[in-house]
Coordinates of all heavy atoms in Angstrom, one line a residue:
G932 N 131.1 -102.6 -97.4 CA 130.1 -102.3 -98.4 C 130.4 -102.6 -99.6 O 129.6 -102.8 -100.6
D933 N 131.8 -103.0 -100.1 CA 132.2 -103.6 -101.3 C 131.3 -104.9 -101.5 O 131.1 -105.6 -100.6 CB 133.6 -103.7 -101.4 CG 134.3 -102.5 -101.7 OD1 133.7 -101.5 -102.0 OD2 135.5 -102.4 -101.6
K934 N 131.2 -105.2 -102.8 CA 130.5 -106.4 -103.2 C 131.6 -107.5 -103.7 O 132.5 -107.0 -104.4 CB 129.5 -106.1 -104.4 CG 128.5 -105.1 -104.0 CD 127.6 -105.5 -102.8 CE 126.6 -104.4 -102.5 NZ 126.0 -104.6 -101.2
I935 N 131.2 -108.7 -103.4 CA 132.2 -109.7 -104.0 C 131.3 -110.7 -104.6 O 130.1 -111.1 -104.0 CB 132.8 -110.5 -102.8 CG1 133.8 -109.5 -102.1 CG2 133.6 -111.7 -103.4 CD1 134.5 -110.1 -100.8
Q936 N 131.5 -111.1 -105.8 CA 130.7 -112.2 -106.5 C 131.5 -113.4 -106.8 O 132.5 -113.4 -107.3 CB 130.2 -111.5 -107.8 CG 129.0 -112.3 -108.4 CD 128.4 -111.5 -109.6 OE1 129.1 -111.3 -110.6 NE2 127.2 -110.9 -109.4
I937 N 130.9 -114.5 -106.4 CA 131.6 -115.8 -106.6 C 130.7 -116.8 -107.5 O 129.5 -116.8 -107.2 CB 131.7 -116.6 -105.2 CG1 132.3 -115.7 -104.1 CG2 132.4 -117.9 -105.3 CD1 133.9 -115.6 -104.3
E938 N 131.4 -117.4 -108.4 CA 130.5 -118.4 -109.3 C 130.9 -119.8 -108.7 O 132.1 -120.2 -108.8 CB 130.9 -118.2 -110.8 CG 130.2 -119.1 -111.7 CD 130.5 -119.1 -113.1 OE1 131.0 -118.0 -113.5 OE2 129.9 -119.9 -113.9
S939 N 129.9 -120.6 -108.4 CA 130.2 -121.9 -107.9 C 130.4 -122.8 -109.0 O 130.2 -122.5 -110.3 CB 129.0 -122.3 -107.0 OG 127.8 -122.5 -107.7
G940 N 130.9 -124.0 -108.7 CA 131.1 -125.0 -109.7 C 129.9 -125.4 -110.6 O 130.0 -125.7 -111.8
D941 N 128.7 -125.2 -110.0 CA 127.5 -125.5 -110.9 C 127.0 -124.2 -111.6 O 125.9 -124.3 -112.2 CB 126.4 -126.0 -110.0 CG 125.9 -125.0 -109.0 OD1 126.4 -124.0 -108.9 OD2 125.0 -125.6 -108.2
G942 N 127.8 -123.2 -111.5 CA 127.4 -122.1 -112.4 C 126.6 -121.0 -111.6 O 126.2 -119.9 -112.1
K943 N 126.2 -121.4 -110.4 CA 125.4 -120.4 -109.5 C 126.2 -119.3 -109.1 O 127.4 -119.4 -108.7 CB 124.8 -121.2 -108.3 CG 123.8 -120.4 -107.6 CD 123.4 -121.2 -106.3 CE 122.4 -120.3 -105.4 NZ 121.9 -121.0 -104.3
I944 N 125.7 -118.1 -109.2 CA 126.4 -116.8 -108.7 C 125.9 -116.5 -107.3 O 124.8 -116.4 -106.9 CB 126.0 -115.6 -109.6 CG1 126.4 -115.9 -111.1 CG2 126.6 -114.4 -109.1 CD1 127.9 -116.1 -111.4
L945 N 127.0 -116.4 -106.5 CA 126.6 -116.1 -105.0 C 127.2 -114.6 -104.8 O 128.3 -114.3 -105.2 CB 127.4 -117.0 -104.2 CG 127.0 -118.5 -104.3 CD1 128.0 -119.3 -103.5 CD2 125.6 -118.7 -103.9
N946 N 126.4 -113.8 -104.2 CA 126.7 -112.4 -103.9 C 127.0 -112.2 -102.3 O 126.2 -112.6 -101.5 CB 125.6 -111.5 -104.3 CG 125.5 -111.5 -105.9 OD1 126.5 -111.2 -106.7 ND2 124.4 -112.0 -106.4
Y947 N 128.0 -111.4 -102.1 CA 128.4 -111.2 -100.8 C 128.7 -109.7 -100.6 O 129.2 -109.1 -101.6 CB 129.7 -112.0 -100.3 CG 129.5 -113.5 -100.2 CD1 129.6 -114.2 -101.5 CD2 129.2 -114.2 -99.1 CE1 129.4 -115.6 -101.4 CE2 128.9 -115.5 -99.0 CZ 129.1 -116.2 -100.3 OH 128.8 -117.6 -100.1
T948 N 128.5 -109.1 -99.4 CA 128.9 -107.8 -99.1 C 129.9 -107.8 -97.9 O 129.8 -108.5 -96.8 CB 127.6 -107.0 -98.6 OG1 126.8 -107.0 -99.7 CG2 128.0 -105.6 -98.4
V949 N 131.0 -107.1 -98.1 CA 132.0 -106.9 -97.1 C 131.4 -106.2 -95.9 O 130.8 -105.1 -96.0 CB 133.2 -106.2 -97.7 CG1 134.4 -105.9 -96.5 CG2 133.9 -106.9 -98.7
V950 N 131.7 -106.9 -94.7 CA 131.1 -106.2 -93.6 C 132.2 -105.8 -92.4 O 131.9 -105.0 -91.5 CB 130.0 -107.1 -92.7 CG1 128.8 -107.1 -93.7 CG2 130.6 -108.4 -92.4
N951 N 133.4 -106.4 -92.6 CA 134.5 -106.1 -91.8 C 135.9 -106.5 -92.5 O 135.8 -107.4 -93.2 CB 134.4 -106.7 -90.4 CG 135.2 -106.1 -89.3 OD1 135.8 -105.1 -89.5 ND2 135.0 -106.8 -88.2
T952 N 136.9 -105.8 -92.0 CA 138.3 -106.3 -92.3 C 139.1 -106.2 -91.0 O 138.9 -105.4 -90.2 CB 138.9 -105.4 -93.5 OG1 139.1 -104.1 -92.9 CG2 138.1 -105.4 -94.7
K953 N 140.0 -107.2 -90.9 CA 140.8 -107.2 -89.6 C 142.3 -107.6 -90.1 O 142.4 -108.6 -91.0 CB 140.3 -108.2 -88.6 CG 139.1 -107.7 -87.9 CD 138.7 -108.7 -86.8 CE 137.4 -108.3 -86.2 NZ 136.9 -109.2 -85.0
N954 N 143.2 -107.2 -89.4 CA 144.6 -107.6 -89.5 C 145.0 -108.3 -88.2 O 144.7 -107.8 -87.2 CB 145.5 -106.4 -89.8 CG 145.3 -105.8 -91.1 OD1 145.3 -106.4 -92.2 ND2 144.8 -104.6 -91.2
F955 N 145.7 -109.4 -88.4 CA 146.0 -110.2 -87.3 C 147.6 -110.5 -87.4 O 148.1 -110.6 -88.4 CB 145.4 -111.6 -87.3 CG 144.0 -111.5 -87.0 CD1 143.0 -111.3 -88.0 CD2 143.4 -111.5 -85.7 CE1 141.7 -111.3 -87.7 CE2 142.1 -111.5 -85.4 CZ 141.3 -111.3 -86.4
D956 N 148.2 -110.4 -86.3 CA 149.7 -111.0 -86.3 C 149.5 -112.6 -86.3 O 148.6 -113.1 -85.8 CB 150.2 -110.6 -84.9 CG 151.6 -111.0 -84.7 OD1 151.9 -112.2 -84.6 OD2 152.6 -110.3 -84.8
T957 N 150.5 -113.2 -86.9 CA 150.3 -114.6 -87.0 C 150.4 -115.4 -85.7 O 149.8 -116.5 -85.6 CB 151.4 -115.3 -88.2 OG1 152.6 -114.8 -87.5 CG2 151.2 -114.7 -89.5
T958 N 150.9 -114.8 -84.8 CA 151.0 -115.4 -83.5 C 149.7 -115.2 -82.7 O 149.6 -115.7 -81.6 CB 152.2 -115.0 -82.6 OG1 152.0 -113.6 -82.5 CG2 153.5 -115.3 -83.3
N959 N 148.8 -114.4 -83.2 CA 147.6 -113.9 -82.5 C 146.3 -114.2 -83.4 O 145.6 -113.3 -83.3 CB 147.7 -112.5 -82.0 CG 146.5 -112.2 -81.0 OD1 146.0 -113.0 -80.3 ND2 146.3 -111.0 -81.0
L960 N 146.4 -115.2 -83.9 CA 145.2 -115.4 -85.0 C 144.2 -116.5 -84.4 O 144.6 -117.7 -84.1 CB 145.7 -116.0 -86.3 CG 144.8 -116.2 -87.4 CD1 144.2 -114.9 -87.9 CD2 145.6 -116.8 -88.6
D961 N 143.0 -116.0 -84.2 CA 142.0 -116.8 -83.6 C 141.3 -117.5 -84.6 O 140.4 -116.9 -85.4 CB 141.0 -116.0 -82.7 CG 139.8 -116.7 -82.1 OD1 139.8 -118.0 -82.2 OD2 138.9 -115.9 -81.7
L962 N 141.4 -118.9 -84.8 CA 140.8 -119.6 -85.8 C 139.3 -119.8 -85.7 O 138.5 -119.8 -86.7 CB 141.3 -121.1 -85.9 CG 142.7 -121.3 -86.3 CD1 143.3 -122.7 -86.4 CD2 142.9 -120.6 -87.7
G963 N 138.7 -119.6 -84.5 CA 137.3 -119.5 -84.2 C 136.8 -118.2 -85.0 O 135.7 -118.3 -85.6
T964 N 137.4 -117.2 -84.9 CA 137.0 -116.0 -85.7 C 137.0 -116.1 -87.1 O 136.1 -115.7 -87.9 CB 137.9 -114.7 -85.2 OG1 137.7 -114.6 -83.8 CG2 137.4 -113.5 -86.0
V965 N 138.1 -116.7 -87.5 CA 138.4 -117.0 -89.0 C 137.3 -117.8 -89.6 O 136.9 -117.5 -90.8 CB 139.8 -117.6 -89.2 CG1 139.9 -118.0 -90.7 CG2 140.9 -116.7 -88.7
L966 N 136.8 -118.8 -88.9 CA 136.0 -119.8 -89.5 C 134.4 -119.4 -89.2 O 133.6 -120.3 -89.5 CB 136.2 -121.3 -88.9 CG 137.7 -121.6 -89.1 CD1 138.0 -123.0 -88.5 CD2 137.9 -121.9 -90.7
T967 N 134.0 -118.4 -88.6 CA 132.8 -118.1 -88.2 C 132.2 -116.9 -89.0 O 133.0 -115.9 -89.3 CB 132.7 -117.7 -86.7 OG1 133.2 -118.8 -85.9 CG2 131.2 -117.3 -86.3
S968 N 131.0 -117.0 -89.5 CA 130.5 -115.8 -90.2 C 130.4 -114.6 -89.3 O 130.2 -114.6 -88.1 CB 128.9 -116.3 -90.6 OG 128.3 -115.1 -91.3
A969 N 130.5 -113.5 -90.1 CA 130.6 -112.3 -89.4 C 129.2 -111.8 -88.7 O 129.2 -111.0 -87.9 CB 131.1 -111.1 -90.2
Q970 N 128.1 -112.4 -89.4 CA 126.8 -112.1 -88.8 C 126.2 -113.5 -88.6 O 125.8 -114.2 -89.6 CB 126.0 -111.1 -89.9 CG 126.6 -109.8 -90.0 CD 125.9 -108.9 -90.8 OE1 124.8 -109.4 -91.5 NE2 126.3 -107.7 -90.9
A971 N 125.8 -113.7 -87.4 CA 125.0 -114.9 -87.1 C 123.7 -115.1 -87.8 O 123.1 -114.1 -88.2 CB 124.6 -114.9 -85.6

């Protein structure tokens, strides 16, 4: 539910909402999960 605001290089403001947090062991890190949006 927390909000994250990012300013892009062209000055555009992008707003995001946290939907999940996960902790991984470095030996069990699935890059597919890391690189995929949490909501299709």
Side-chain angles (χ1 to χ4, degrees):
D933 281 350
K934 306 296 182 193
I935 300 171
Q936 198 171 68
I937 306 283
E938 183 175 350
S939 65
D941 63 1
K943 184 177 179 182
I944 303 296
L945 303 170
N946 294 295
Y947 295 86
T948 302
V949 174
V950 295
N951 199 2
T952 62
K953 289 186 180 180
N954 293 303
F955 292 90
D956 182 288
T957 55
T958 61
N959 190 27
L960 186 61
D961 175 16
L962 290 180
T964 300
V965 173
L966 300 173
T967 303
S968 176
Q970 291 182 1

